[in-house]
Amino acid sequence: MTVENEQEHYNQLKETYERALTKWNRLDERRNLLVEQISAKKAELDSYFKTIDTYEKARLLLQQSAEYAREQAKQQIETLVTNALQYIFGPLFSFQIEIDEHGTRPIAEFYVVSEYEGIKVKTKPQDARGGGVVDIVTLALRVALIETIHPKREGPLLLDEPGKHVSGEYVHALFEFLKSLSTMFNRQIIMITHNYHLAQSGDLAYEVSMKDGISEVSNVD
């Protein structure tokens, strides 16, 4: 094989390699994007299941209670969730529980009632004004369950990403509401959040960061 043939063969191999490398890089980028999308969807699905679990526990509490106790629990839950919605989103929101008898079994359904230009709209929490309302209803329901169940459960209130879908304009109202919950029920609140402003509402805040594969914890002033 002559030097010219060897050079031509080398150039062909080089071009083949570069095309393969370009294709591999493109596919790798696509794979990374798909991995990120799958991770985000898994987190969204986990959040959905947590919300559904909270709703089902509240329904079960109402369904298994005697009529008088059920009405008392219903009023307490409606009041707490309504207060939460109004504290954060304003006075035109309220929470309503409707209990219907199906045979011998009471079935509870939850609704958010909002008012726009004098017209009242009643929707399921998951359909009401985006994820922010769902977050607040779910948070308030969890607190209501803890405070309503007998015997009363003691200990701190543990929250993972509370209000992560709540718009930035309502974050200040959210952390004021969390402070009021802590005072009202005399409970310490321990929460994990990526929202810097929400973290500022705590008496103590710590930031966990990753450096060279090792988690580092530092105080947040």
Side-chain angles (χ1 to χ4, degrees), residues 58-59 61-62 72-83 95 97 110 140-141 144-145 148:
R59 286 193 180 96
L61 171 67
L62 291 166
Q72 292 295 105
K74 173 179 176 293
Q75 291 178 9
Q76 291 175 8
I77 293 173
E78 283 181 334
T79 299
L80 180 56
V81 180
T82 294
N83 287 342
F95 184 71
I97 300 173
F110 304 142
L141 275 176
L145 285 171
T148 303

Side-chain angles (χ1 to χ4, degrees), residues 157-216:
L157 180 61
L158 306 178
L159 302 176
D160 183 13
E161 294 287 358
K164 66 179 178 181
H165 296 114
V166 173
S167 302
E169 61 186 299
Y170 299 115
V171 170
H172 180 78
L174 174 57
F175 73 62
E176 288 294 339
F177 173 68
L178 290 174
K179 281 187 173 182
S180 71
L181 281 181
S182 178
T183 301
M184 183 187 308
F185 297 114
N186 193 29
R187 284 186 187 272
Q188 180 186 31
I189 294 179
I190 301 173
M191 68 176 169
I192 299 171
T193 181
H194 285 89
N195 189 301
Y196 178 81
H197 299 292
L198 194 56
Q200 299 306 303
S201 66
D203 297 318
L204 292 173
Y206 301 92
E207 181 178 15
V208 181
S209 57
M210 185 76 73
K211 186 175 181 181
D212 297 328
I214 299 175
S215 296
E216 294 186 350

Side-chain angles (χ1 to χ4, degrees), residues 1 22 28 46 60 65 83 121 137 147:
M1 182 179 291
T22 300
D28 189 55
D46 288 343
L60 191 61
S65 302
N83 287 342
V121 180
V137 169
E147 298 300 328

